[in-house]
Coordinates of all heavy atoms in Angstrom, one line a residue:
M1 N 0.8 -1.2 0.0 CA 0.0 0.0 0.0 C 0.9 1.2 0.0 O 1.9 1.3 0.7 CB -0.9 0.0 1.2 CG -1.8 1.2 1.3 SD -2.6 1.5 2.9 CE -1.3 2.3 3.8
E2 N 0.5 2.2 -0.8 CA 1.2 3.5 -0.9 C 0.8 4.3 0.4 O -0.3 4.4 0.7 CB 0.8 4.2 -2.1 CG 1.4 5.6 -2.3 CD 0.9 6.3 -3.5 OE1 0.3 5.6 -4.4 OE2 1.0 7.5 -3.5
Q3 N 1.8 4.9 1.0 CA 1.6 5.8 2.1 C 1.2 7.2 1.6 O 1.9 7.7 0.7 CB 2.8 5.9 3.1 CG 3.0 4.6 3.8 CD 1.9 4.3 4.8 OE1 1.3 5.1 5.3 NE2 1.7 3.0 5.0
H4 N 0.2 7.8 2.2 CA -0.2 9.2 1.8 C 0.1 10.1 3.0 O -0.1 9.7 4.2 CB -1.7 9.2 1.6 CG -2.2 8.4 0.5 ND1 -1.9 8.7 -0.8 CD2 -2.9 7.2 0.5 CE1 -2.5 7.7 -1.6 NE2 -3.0 6.8 -0.9
P5 N 0.4 11.3 2.8 CA 0.5 12.3 3.9 C -0.8 12.4 4.6 O -1.9 12.2 4.0 CB 0.9 13.6 3.2 CG 1.4 13.2 1.9 CD 0.8 11.9 1.5
T6 N -0.8 12.6 5.9 CA -2.1 12.6 6.7 C -3.1 13.5 6.1 O -4.3 13.1 5.9 CB -1.7 13.1 8.1 OG1 -0.8 12.2 8.7 CG2 -3.0 13.1 9.0
E7 N -2.8 14.7 5.7 CA -3.8 15.6 5.1 C -4.4 15.1 3.9 O -5.6 15.3 3.6 CB -3.2 17.0 4.9 CG -2.7 17.7 6.1 CD -1.3 17.2 6.5 OE1 -0.6 16.6 5.7 OE2 -0.9 17.5 7.7
V8 N -3.6 14.5 3.0 CA -4.1 13.9 1.8 C -5.1 12.7 2.0 O -6.1 12.6 1.5 CB -3.0 13.5 0.8 CG1 -3.5 12.8 -0.4 CG2 -2.2 14.8 0.4
W9 N -4.6 11.9 3.0 CA -5.4 10.7 3.4 C -6.8 11.2 3.9 O -7.8 10.6 3.5 CB -4.7 9.9 4.4 CG -5.2 8.6 4.7 CD1 -4.7 7.4 4.2 CD2 -6.3 8.2 5.5 NE1 -5.5 6.3 4.7 CE2 -6.5 6.8 5.5 CE3 -7.2 8.9 6.3 CZ2 -7.5 6.1 6.1 CZ3 -8.3 8.3 6.9 CH2 -8.4 6.9 6.9
I10 N -6.8 12.1 4.8 CA -8.0 12.6 5.4 C -8.9 13.2 4.3 O -10.1 13.0 4.3 CB -7.8 13.6 6.5 CG1 -7.2 12.8 7.7 CG2 -9.0 14.4 7.0 CD1 -6.7 13.7 8.9
A11 N -8.4 14.0 3.4 CA -9.2 14.7 2.4 C -9.8 13.6 1.4 O -11.0 13.7 1.1 CB -8.3 15.6 1.5
A12 N -9.0 12.6 1.1 CA -9.5 11.5 0.2 C -10.6 10.7 0.9 O -11.7 10.4 0.3 CB -8.4 10.6 -0.2
C13 N -10.4 10.5 2.2 CA -11.5 9.7 3.0 C -12.7 10.6 3.1 O -13.8 10.1 2.9 CB -10.9 9.4 4.4 SG -12.0 8.4 5.4
A14 N -12.6 11.9 3.4 CA -13.7 12.8 3.5 C -14.5 12.8 2.1 O -15.7 12.9 2.1 CB -13.3 14.2 3.9
H15 N -13.7 12.8 1.0 CA -14.4 12.8 -0.3 C -15.3 11.6 -0.5 O -16.4 11.6 -0.9 CB -13.4 12.9 -1.4 CG -13.9 12.8 -2.8 ND1 -14.7 13.8 -3.3 CD2 -13.9 11.8 -3.7 CE1 -15.1 13.4 -4.5 NE2 -14.6 12.2 -4.7
R16 N -14.7 10.4 0.0 CA -15.5 9.2 -0.1 C -16.7 9.2 0.7 O -17.8 8.8 0.4 CB -14.6 8.0 0.3 CG -15.3 6.7 0.4 CD -16.0 6.2 -0.9 NE -16.7 5.0 -0.8 CZ -17.9 4.8 -0.3 NH1 -18.6 5.9 0.1 NH2 -18.5 3.6 -0.2
L17 N -16.6 9.8 1.9 CA -17.8 10.0 2.8 C -18.8 10.9 2.2 O -20.0 10.7 2.3 CB -17.3 10.5 4.2 CG -16.5 9.6 5.0 CD1 -16.0 10.4 6.3 CD2 -17.2 8.4 5.5
Q18 N -18.3 11.9 1.5 CA -19.3 12.8 0.8 C -20.1 12.1 -0.3 O -21.2 12.5 -0.5 CB -18.5 14.0 0.3 CG -19.5 15.1 -0.2 CD -18.7 16.3 -0.6 OE1 -17.6 16.3 -1.2 NE2 -19.3 17.5 -0.4
L19 N -19.6 11.1 -0.9 CA -20.3 10.3 -1.9 C -21.5 9.7 -1.2 O -22.5 9.4 -1.8 CB -19.4 9.3 -2.6 CG -18.3 9.9 -3.4 CD1 -17.4 8.8 -3.9 CD2 -18.9 10.7 -4.5
H20 N -21.4 9.3 0.1 CA -22.5 8.7 0.8 C -23.4 9.7 1.5 O -24.6 9.6 1.5 CB -21.9 7.8 1.9 CG -22.9 7.1 2.7 ND1 -23.5 5.9 2.3 CD2 -23.4 7.3 3.9 CE1 -24.4 5.5 3.1 NE2 -24.3 6.3 4.2
W21 N -22.8 10.8 2.0 CA -23.6 11.9 2.7 C -23.4 13.2 1.9 O -22.6 14.1 2.4 CB -23.1 12.0 4.1 CG -23.6 10.9 5.0 CD1 -24.8 10.4 5.1 CD2 -22.8 10.2 6.0 NE1 -24.8 9.4 6.1 CE2 -23.6 9.3 6.6 CE3 -21.4 10.3 6.3 CZ2 -23.1 8.4 7.6 CZ3 -21.0 9.4 7.3 CH2 -21.8 8.5 7.9
R22 N -24.1 13.4 0.9 CA -23.9 14.6 0.0 C -24.4 15.9 0.7 O -23.9 17.0 0.3 CB -24.6 14.4 -1.3 CG -24.0 13.3 -2.1 CD -24.7 13.3 -3.5 NE -24.1 12.1 -4.3 CZ -23.0 12.2 -5.0 NH1 -22.3 13.3 -5.0 NH2 -22.6 11.1 -5.6
T23 N -25.2 15.8 1.7 CA -25.8 17.0 2.3 C -25.0 17.4 3.6 O -25.3 18.5 4.1 CB -27.2 16.9 2.7 OG1 -27.4 15.8 3.6 CG2 -28.1 16.6 1.4
V24 N -24.0 16.7 4.0 CA -23.3 17.0 5.2 C -22.2 18.0 4.8 O -21.5 17.8 3.8 CB -22.7 15.7 5.8 CG1 -21.8 16.1 7.0 CG2 -23.8 14.8 6.2
D25 N -22.0 19.0 5.7 CA -20.9 20.0 5.4 C -19.6 19.3 5.3 O -19.2 18.4 6.1 CB -20.9 20.9 6.6 CG -20.0 22.1 6.4 OD1 -18.8 21.9 6.7 OD2 -20.4 23.1 5.9
P26 N -18.8 19.7 4.3 CA -17.5 19.1 4.0 C -16.5 19.2 5.2 O -15.7 18.3 5.5 CB -16.9 19.9 2.9 CG -18.1 20.3 2.1 CD -19.2 20.6 3.2
S27 N -16.6 20.2 6.0 CA -15.7 20.3 7.2 C -16.1 19.3 8.2 O -15.2 18.8 8.9 CB -15.8 21.8 7.8 OG -17.1 22.0 8.3
E28 N -17.4 19.0 8.3 CA -17.8 17.9 9.3 C -17.3 16.5 8.8 O -16.9 15.7 9.6 CB -19.3 17.9 9.4 CG -19.8 19.1 10.2 CD -21.3 19.0 10.4 OE1 -21.9 17.9 10.6 OE2 -21.9 20.1 10.4
L29 N -17.3 16.3 7.5 CA -16.8 15.1 6.9 C -15.3 15.0 7.1 O -14.8 13.9 7.3 CB -17.2 15.0 5.4 CG -18.7 14.9 5.1 CD1 -19.0 14.9 3.6 CD2 -19.3 13.6 5.8
E30 N -14.6 16.1 7.0 CA -13.2 16.0 7.3 C -12.9 15.7 8.7 O -12.0 15.0 9.0 CB -12.5 17.4 6.9 CG -12.3 17.5 5.4 CD -11.3 18.5 5.0 OE1 -10.4 18.8 5.8 OE2 -11.3 18.9 3.9
A31 N -13.7 16.2 9.6 CA -13.6 15.8 11.0 C -13.8 14.3 11.3 O -13.1 13.7 12.0 CB -14.5 16.7 11.9
V32 N -14.8 13.8 10.6 CA -15.1 12.4 10.7 C -13.9 11.6 10.1 O -13.5 10.6 10.7 CB -16.4 12.0 10.0 CG1 -16.6 10.5 9.9 CG2 -17.6 12.6 10.8
A33 N -13.4 12.0 9.0 CA -12.3 11.3 8.3 C -11.1 11.4 9.3 O -10.3 10.4 9.3 CB -12.0 12.0 7.0
G34 N -10.9 12.5 10.0 CA -9.8 12.6 11.0 C -10.0 11.5 12.1 O -9.0 10.9 12.5
E35 N -11.2 11.3 12.5 CA -11.4 10.3 13.5 C -11.2 8.9 13.0 O -10.6 8.0 13.6 CB -12.9 10.4 14.0 CG -13.2 11.6 14.8 CD -12.4 11.7 16.1 OE1 -12.1 10.7 16.7 OE2 -11.9 12.8 16.4
I36 N -11.6 8.7 11.7 CA -11.3 7.4 11.1 C -9.8 7.2 11.0 O -9.3 6.1 11.3 CB -11.9 7.3 9.7 CG1 -13.5 7.3 9.8 CG2 -11.5 6.1 8.9 CD1 -14.2 7.5 8.5
W37 N -9.0 8.2 10.6 CA -7.6 8.1 10.5 C -6.9 7.7 11.9 O -5.9 7.0 11.9 CB -7.0 9.5 10.0 CG -5.5 9.4 9.9 CD1 -4.8 9.0 8.8 CD2 -4.5 9.8 10.8 NE1 -3.5 9.1 9.0 CE2 -3.3 9.6 10.2 CE3 -4.6 10.3 12.1 CZ2 -2.1 9.9 10.9 CZ3 -3.4 10.6 12.8 CH2 -2.2 10.4 12.2
R38 N -7.5 8.1 13.0 CA -7.0 7.8 14.3 C -7.1 6.3 14.6 O -6.4 5.8 15.5 CB -7.7 8.6 15.4 CG -7.2 10.1 15.3 CD -7.9 10.9 16.4 NE -7.5 12.2 16.4 CZ -8.1 13.2 15.7 NH1 -9.2 12.9 15.0 NH2 -7.7 14.4 15.7
D39 N -7.9 5.6 13.9 CA -8.0 4.1 14.1 C -6.9 3.4 13.3 O -6.9 3.5 12.1 CB -9.4 3.6 13.6 CG -9.6 2.2 13.8 OD1 -8.7 1.4 13.6 OD2 -10.7 1.8 14.2
P40 N -5.9 2.8 14.0 CA -4.8 2.2 13.4 C -5.1 1.2 12.3 O -4.5 1.2 11.2 CB -4.0 1.6 14.5 CG -4.4 2.2 15.7 CD -5.9 2.7 15.5
R41 N -6.2 0.4 12.5 CA -6.6 -0.6 11.5 C -7.1 0.1 10.2 O -6.7 -0.3 9.1 CB -7.7 -1.5 12.1 CG -8.1 -2.6 11.2 CD -9.2 -3.4 11.8 NE -10.5 -2.6 12.0 CZ -11.4 -2.4 11.0 NH1 -11.2 -2.8 9.8 NH2 -12.5 -1.7 11.3
L42 N -7.9 1.1 10.4 CA -8.4 1.8 9.2 C -7.4 2.7 8.5 O -7.4 2.8 7.3 CB -9.6 2.7 9.6 CG -10.8 1.9 10.1 CD1 -11.9 2.8 10.6 CD2 -11.4 0.9 9.1
R43 N -6.5 3.2 9.3 CA -5.4 4.1 8.8 C -4.5 3.3 7.8 O -3.9 3.8 6.9 CB -4.6 4.7 9.9 CG -3.6 5.7 9.4 CD -2.9 6.5 10.5 NE -2.4 5.6 11.6 CZ -2.7 5.7 12.9 NH1 -3.6 6.6 13.3 NH2 -2.1 4.9 13.7
E44 N -4.3 2.0 8.1 CA -3.5 1.2 7.2 C -4.1 0.9 5.9 O -3.4 0.5 4.9 CB -3.2 -0.2 7.9 CG -2.3 0.0 9.1 CD -0.9 0.5 8.8 OE1 -0.3 0.1 7.8 OE2 -0.4 1.4 9.5
M45 N -5.4 1.1 5.7 CA -6.0 0.9 4.4 C -5.9 2.2 3.6 O -5.6 3.3 4.1 CB -7.5 0.7 4.6 CG -7.9 -0.5 5.4 SD -9.7 -0.6 5.6 CE -9.9 -1.9 6.8
E46 N -6.2 2.0 2.3 CA -6.3 3.2 1.4 C -7.5 4.0 1.9 O -8.5 3.4 2.5 CB -6.6 2.8 0.0 CG -5.3 2.2 -0.7 CD -4.2 3.3 -0.8 OE1 -4.5 4.4 -1.2 OE2 -3.1 2.9 -0.6
P47 N -7.5 5.3 1.8 CA -8.6 6.2 2.3 C -10.0 5.8 1.9 O -11.0 5.7 2.6 CB -8.3 7.6 1.9 CG -6.9 7.5 1.5 CD -6.5 6.1 1.2
D48 N -10.1 5.4 0.6 CA -11.4 5.1 0.0 C -11.9 3.8 0.7 O -13.1 3.7 1.1 CB -11.3 4.9 -1.5 CG -12.6 4.9 -2.2 OD1 -13.4 5.8 -2.0 OD2 -12.9 3.9 -2.9
N49 N -11.1 2.8 0.8 CA -11.4 1.5 1.4 C -11.7 1.7 2.9 O -12.6 1.1 3.5 CB -10.3 0.5 1.3 CG -10.1 0.1 -0.2 OD1 -11.0 0.3 -1.0 ND2 -8.9 -0.3 -0.5
S50 N -11.0 2.6 3.6 CA -11.2 2.8 5.0 C -12.6 3.5 5.2 O -13.3 3.0 6.1 CB -10.1 3.8 5.4 OG -9.9 3.7 6.8
A51 N -12.9 4.4 4.4 CA -14.3 5.1 4.5 C -15.4 4.0 4.3 O -16.4 4.0 5.0 CB -14.4 6.2 3.6
A52 N -15.2 3.2 3.3 CA -16.2 2.2 2.9 C -16.3 1.2 4.1 O -17.4 0.8 4.5 CB -15.8 1.4 1.7
A53 N -15.2 0.8 4.7 CA -15.3 -0.1 5.9 C -15.9 0.5 7.0 O -16.7 -0.1 7.7 CB -13.8 -0.6 6.2
W54 N -15.7 1.8 7.3 CA -16.3 2.5 8.4 C -17.8 2.7 8.2 O -18.6 2.7 9.1 CB -15.6 3.9 8.5 CG -16.0 4.6 9.7 CD1 -15.6 4.5 11.0 CD2 -17.1 5.6 9.8 NE1 -16.2 5.4 11.9 CE2 -17.2 6.1 11.1 CE3 -17.9 6.2 8.9 CZ2 -18.1 7.0 11.6 CZ3 -18.8 7.1 9.3 CH2 -18.9 7.6 10.6
L55 N -18.2 2.9 6.9 CA -19.6 3.0 6.6 C -20.4 1.8 6.7 O -21.6 1.8 6.8 CB -19.7 3.6 5.2 CG -19.4 5.1 5.0 CD1 -19.3 5.4 3.5 CD2 -20.4 6.0 5.7
L56 N -19.8 0.6 6.6 CA -20.6 -0.7 6.7 C -21.6 -0.8 7.8 O -22.7 -1.1 7.6 CB -19.6 -1.9 6.7 CG -18.9 -2.2 5.4 CD1 -17.9 -3.3 5.6 CD2 -20.0 -2.6 4.3
P57 N -21.2 -0.5 9.0 CA -22.1 -0.6 10.1 C -23.3 0.5 10.1 O -24.3 0.3 10.7 CB -21.3 -0.4 11.4 CG -19.9 -0.5 11.0 CD -19.8 -0.2 9.5
V58 N -23.1 1.6 9.4 CA -24.1 2.6 9.3 C -25.4 2.0 8.8 O -26.5 2.3 9.3 CB -23.6 3.8 8.4 CG1 -24.7 4.8 8.2 CG2 -22.4 4.5 9.0
A59 N -25.3 1.1 7.8 CA -26.5 0.5 7.3 C -27.2 -0.3 8.3 O -28.4 -0.5 8.3 CB -26.1 -0.3 6.0
S60 N -26.5 -0.9 9.2 CA -27.1 -1.7 10.3 C -27.6 -1.0 11.4 O -28.2 -1.5 12.4 CB -26.0 -2.8 10.7 OG -25.0 -2.2 11.5
G61 N -27.3 0.3 11.5 CA -27.8 1.2 12.6 C -26.8 1.2 13.8 O -27.0 1.8 14.8
H62 N -25.6 0.6 13.6 CA -24.6 0.6 14.7 C -24.0 2.1 14.8 O -23.7 2.7 13.8 CB -23.4 -0.3 14.3 CG -22.3 -0.3 15.3 ND1 -22.4 -0.8 16.5 CD2 -21.1 0.3 15.2 CE1 -21.2 -0.6 17.2 NE2 -20.4 0.1 16.4
V63 N -23.8 2.5 16.0 CA -23.3 3.9 16.2 C -21.8 3.7 16.6 O -21.5 3.0 17.5 CB -24.1 4.6 17.3 CG1 -23.5 6.0 17.6 CG2 -25.5 4.7 17.0
H64 N -21.0 4.5 15.9 CA -19.6 4.5 16.2 C -19.2 5.3 17.4 O -19.8 6.4 17.5 CB -18.8 5.1 15.0 CG -18.8 4.2 13.8 ND1 -17.9 3.1 13.6 CD2 -19.5 4.2 12.6 CE1 -18.2 2.5 12.5 NE2 -19.1 3.2 11.9
P65 N -18.4 4.9 18.2 CA -18.0 5.8 19.4 C -17.1 6.9 18.8 O -16.4 6.8 17.9 CB -17.1 4.9 20.3 CG -16.6 3.8 19.3 CD -17.7 3.6 18.3
I66 N -17.2 8.0 19.5 CA -16.4 9.2 19.1 C -15.1 9.1 19.9 O -15.1 8.9 21.1 CB -17.2 10.5 19.4 CG1 -18.4 10.6 18.5 CG2 -16.2 11.7 19.2 CD1 -19.2 11.8 18.7
H67 N -14.0 9.3 19.2 CA -12.7 9.3 19.8 C -12.6 10.4 20.8 O -12.8 11.6 20.5 CB -11.6 9.4 18.7 CG -10.2 9.4 19.3 ND1 -9.6 10.5 19.7 CD2 -9.4 8.4 19.5 CE1 -8.4 10.2 20.1 NE2 -8.2 8.9 20.0
Q68 N -12.2 10.1 22.0 CA -11.9 11.2 23.0 C -10.4 11.3 23.2 O -9.8 10.3 23.6 CB -12.6 10.8 24.3 CG -14.1 10.7 24.2 CD -14.8 12.0 24.0 OE1 -14.4 13.0 24.5 NE2 -15.8 12.0 23.1
P69 N -9.9 12.5 23.0 CA -8.4 12.7 23.2 C -8.0 12.5 24.6 O -8.6 12.6 25.5 CB -8.1 14.1 22.7 CG -9.4 14.7 22.4 CD -10.5 13.7 22.6

C-alpha cells in the first residue's frame, strides 16, 4: 500500500464519505475522516477503502464511538 501524507489521506477519505452523505458539510466530513484516521486498523487501508469499511455498520444502525483525546 502506498503511504499518503495525513492531510491527503483525510481529504480523500472525506471525499469518499461525501459520496455517501452529500448534504453533510465538508468540514464535518473532514472531522469524521480525521477520527477514522486515528483508528490504526483503518489508517493502514487506502482512504477510500477505509471510509467504505467505516460506513458498513451505518447501514445496520450501529453507532460508532467518538474518539476522546
Side-chain angles (χ1 to χ4, degrees):
M1 180 191 82
E2 176 186 342
Q3 291 292 333
H4 299 286
T6 302
E7 297 81 16
V8 173
W9 193 101
I10 289 172
C13 185
H15 176 72
R16 172 59 180 85
L17 293 172
Q18 189 173 35
L19 295 175
H20 183 78
W21 287 311
R22 295 186 183 274
T23 60
V24 176
D25 185 273
S27 64
E28 290 183 35
L29 294 174
E30 282 201 22
V32 171
E35 292 298 323
I36 293 171
W37 182 85
R38 288 182 181 89
D39 182 316
R41 182 183 64 82
L42 296 174
R43 184 173 53 236
E44 289 299 316
M45 298 178 191
E46 287 294 320
D48 195 54
N49 295 337
S50 203
W54 187 85
L55 286 167
L56 283 174
V58 172
S60 71
H62 175 77
V63 177
H64 291 279
I66 294 179
H67 180 273
Q68 298 295 321

